[in-house]
Amino acid sequence: MNVTVLYVVANAFFTDADSHPTGSLKLDCEALIAFKTGLDDPKNLLSSWQGSNCYQWHGVSCDNQTRAVIAINVKNPYPLSSASPARSGLWNLSGEIRSSLGKLRSLQYLDLSSNTFNSIPIPAFLDSLKNLRYLNLSKAGFSGPIPSNLGKLSRLQYLDLSSGFSGLTAPSLDWIASLRSLKYTSMNQIDLSMIGLSWVDVFNRLPFLSELHLSRCGLSGSISSGPGIINFTSLAVSDLSFNSFNSKFPSWFTNISTLSNIDLRYCDLYGHIPLGLGELPKLKVLNLALNNNLSASCHKMFDKGSKTTEFLGLSGCGLHGKLPAYIGNMRPLSNFDLSMNNVTGGIPSSMGKLCYLKNFDLSSNSLTGSLPAFLQKSQICASIRSLPSLLYLRLSSNQLTGNLPDWLGELDNLVELGLNYNMLQGMIPSSLGRLSKLTELGLAGNELNGSLPES
């Protein structure tokens, strides 16, 4: 990231830094050079870090007036999640984090993410960076307990300590309650197994918290009752996935009207899915997949047709009953995954009105009847065809009967069509040959006749 862009990003988070004398630029540059000498830099990412004009250095941004260093971004430009893992290793910084970094008193933005610091602890001296608004140490190879004195960074708005595969732990999170300005926090894959249920109370005290990511943290215990008074007045994203709560579904989520994204996959939840989730006015993503002991009626859950929901991940959630025609009113919907449930009845023709639908998965249910002879169309779609965006249509392992309808051959963007193991009959329509993007076609386990069309 160049200096100009980095400064723009930094200013999205930071205002009102403490004054810093212009003459201190030299001291800041010296502190950065001392910090660099502790690092192993195999690709010379920091080769520009020399001389006294550190505002021109790679990954460094300075205040326009005081020239004090306010931002450092030396994250790995090719993290492990990128297309080339081998390339990622070449760009890793490693070594030690020297205490000279703590001398940058005006620093507001620090990103060391996706490097390999080989299981060293997070430096306790970071608490001296009193102006810090943004701190990203995610997947950088740190291990050991998170220093509680990070709670002294009272201006912090963004905190990402996600651990990846290293061994970060937190015996307590009480220190987070002091970060009253915090808007975003991610602690994915940090071992929080020792903190019990105190985390709910701690994060509930943060009035500006917008995103909370605590996936794969070893959290457990009942979360059904929640905090006494809900103060999550700004919370938009809540990711608690892959924790073993063994708890009744937390109905208090329905009282957080600001929520747009709820991810509770693989959380060992049980009981009824509260119908109020579908009434949250800003909800875009709801992922409750593979909580096998949940239960909900399809008709009741979708009877109003949410106007905001884009992603529904409800695979293996104990859903039962018939799909209502109202699903055709869920206009923003792009992912509809109700696989591995007990959905009965047929597929409503109103689904044809879903202009943005990319994935429709009702495999491994108890669907009966025939596929709709035609699909309804929407007047707001740019295309005159139904389901113009559909990529995946998965209806295998049901009890569908009848012939394959002609509209299947009109799904121009379809990549996968799964109809295996139903009771479908008749000829395989030649129109399937027009599906030029189709890479996977499953028709086995039916009573279909004819040969597969060439495409």
Side-chain angles (χ1 to χ4, degrees), residues 288-301:
L288 309 179
L290 298 170
N291 287 287
N292 298 316
N293 293 313
L294 289 175
S295 176
S297 162
C298 285
H299 192 275
K300 291 181 179 179
M301 194 158 187

Side-chain angles (χ1 to χ4, degrees), residues 40-41 49 65 71 82 96 132 177 218 234 241 306 324 354 360 362 383 400 412 434 444 447 452:
D40 295 322
D41 181 13
W49 287 30
Q65 295 180 338
S82 67
E96 61 175 310
L132 211 58
S234 302
S241 59
S306 169
L354 299 174
F360 189 79
L362 279 166
S383 172
L400 295 169
D412 296 336
R434 296 198 296 264
E447 299 177 19
L452 294 177

Side-chain angles (χ1 to χ4, degrees), residues 177-424:
S178 302
L179 305 179
R180 300 284 293 174
S181 299
L182 202 62
K183 296 179 180 179
Y184 176 104
T185 186
S186 179
M187 294 188 164
N188 293 338
Q189 294 186 265
I190 292 175
D191 184 359
L192 302 180
S193 59
M194 301 298 292
I195 67 172
L197 295 174
S198 62
W199 64 272
V200 180
D201 235 9
V202 167
F203 290 108
N204 190 43
R205 297 183 214 168
L206 304 178
F208 304 109
L209 189 65
S210 175
E211 292 201 28
L212 175 63
H213 300 266
L214 298 176
S215 178
R216 301 177 190 267
C217 290
L219 297 171
S220 61
S222 175
I223 56 172
S224 60
S225 58
I229 299 176
I230 300 293
N231 289 325
F232 288 115
T233 52
S234 302
L235 193 63
V237 176
S238 176
D239 180 2
L240 305 177
S241 59
F242 298 93
N243 288 292
S244 298
F245 293 114
N246 191 23
S247 169
K248 191 175 180 180
F249 195 97
S251 59
W252 49 273
F253 270 64
T254 63
N255 297 324
I256 307 176
S257 61
T258 52
L259 277 172
S260 65
N261 188 321
I262 301 173
D263 193 344
L264 292 169
R265 288 173 290 165
Y266 290 95
C267 282
D268 288 340
L269 300 174
Y270 61 85
H272 291 289
I273 301 173
L275 301 179
L277 289 178
E279 299 176 6
L280 291 173
K282 298 181 180 180
L283 190 66
K284 293 183 178 180
V285 175
L286 178 62
N287 199 341
L288 309 179
L290 298 170
N291 287 287
N292 298 316
N293 293 313
L294 289 175
S295 176
S297 162
C298 285
H299 192 275
K300 291 181 179 179
M301 194 158 187
F302 306 121
D303 68 344
K304 294 184 179 179
S306 169
K307 300 296 194 298
T308 60
T309 306
E310 300 173 4
F311 184 105
L312 279 174
L314 301 175
S315 174
C317 285
L319 296 182
H320 55 83
K322 298 180 180 180
L323 288 178
Y326 299 111
I327 65 168
N329 297 330
M330 302 175 71
R331 292 178 179 175
L333 200 62
S334 65
N335 184 85
F336 189 78
D337 186 354
L338 271 63
S339 59
M340 296 189 292
N341 284 294
N342 192 30
V343 182
T344 57
I347 297 172
S349 62
S350 61
M351 70 171 281
K353 297 192 294 182
L354 299 174
C355 305
Y356 309 107
L357 188 66
K358 294 181 179 180
N359 179 44
F360 189 79
D361 193 343
L362 279 166
S363 57
S364 300
N365 275 282
S366 301
L367 295 174
T368 56
S370 58
L371 294 171
F374 68 93
L375 293 178
Q376 296 180 31
K377 293 181 172 62
S378 172
Q379 295 180 349
I380 66 169
C381 286
S383 172
I384 61 172
R385 297 183 185 276
S386 299
L387 301 175
S389 304
L390 194 65
L391 302 176
Y392 307 98
L393 179 57
R394 296 163 172 155
L395 301 173
S396 59
S397 300
N398 281 284
Q399 301 165 39
L400 295 169
T401 59
N403 299 327
L404 297 183
D406 290 337
W407 55 262
L408 288 174
E410 298 175 358
L411 303 175
D412 296 336
N413 290 308
L414 202 64
V415 173
E416 179 183 337
L417 175 59
L419 296 171
N420 313 58
Y421 303 107
N422 282 283
M423 294 182 285
L424 298 166

Side-chain angles (χ1 to χ4, degrees), residues 98-176:
R98 296 205 167 166
S99 59
S100 61
L101 186 65
K103 297 178 180 179
L104 302 174
R105 302 302 185 185
S106 294
L107 194 67
Q108 301 175 44
Y109 183 110
L110 178 60
D111 191 339
L112 304 178
S113 62
S114 299
N115 287 296
T116 306
F117 288 107
N118 295 319
S119 300
I120 66 173
I122 293 176
F125 64 77
L126 292 180
D127 68 349
S128 63
L129 302 173
K130 303 298 185 184
N131 281 305
L132 211 58
R133 269 71 161 177
Y134 181 107
L135 177 60
N136 191 345
L137 305 179
S138 65
K139 300 178 182 178
F142 294 106
S143 68
I146 298 171
S148 60
N149 57 353
L150 292 183
K152 296 179 182 179
L153 301 175
S154 59
R155 298 187 178 189
L156 207 60
Q157 298 176 25
Y158 183 106
L159 176 64
D160 193 344
L161 302 177
S162 298
S163 182
F165 299 104
S166 63
L168 280 175
T169 63
S172 170
L173 290 180
D174 291 345
W175 55 273
I176 286 184

